[in-house]
Amino acid sequence: MNATQQHMLDVYRAAQLGQPAPPAPGQGDWQVVREIRDYRLLGAAAAGRPPRPGRLRAALTGLFASAARGRGARAGRTRAVAGSGSGASG
């Protein structure tokens, strides 16, 4: 049973019991991400470290930028594969 099916079952049970329906799955995911970020920043401030909210984003940006630079030199070239031509061999 996936999350959607479980939610549908919970909504049905709540309706049968006259209770309010539970929230849809995934509705508060971004709120949790924001709270985790705020918790990390608060922990850094309490420990006397400077808050650096963009460390992960900067690392991923650098990683993707270096990967793109590595592909950039080969992006314009194409290579013929043996046997992939449309010519008839006879």
Side-chain angles (χ1 to χ4, degrees):
M1 181 180 302
N2 63 24
T4 303
Q5 293 169 337
Q6 181 65 46
H7 176 67
M8 289 170 43
L9 182 62
D10 291 342
V11 167
Y12 174 76
R13 286 180 184 161
Q16 294 298 315
L17 298 173
Q19 298 173 348
Q27 192 173 18
D29 291 351
W30 286 110
Q31 181 63 32
V32 170
V33 170
R34 287 185 203 101
E35 289 176 7
I36 290 171
R37 183 197 60 204
D38 292 345
Y39 180 78
R40 284 184 53 242
L41 293 175
L42 179 65
R49 297 187 311 264
R52 295 180 292 207
R55 286 186 295 174
L56 180 61
R57 182 178 299 165
L60 290 175
T61 302
L63 178 68
F64 289 132
S66 65
R69 281 193 301 269
R71 276 185 306 202
R74 295 177 278 161
R77 292 189 218 159
T78 59
R79 183 179 354 157
V81 177
S84 65
S86 60
S89 61

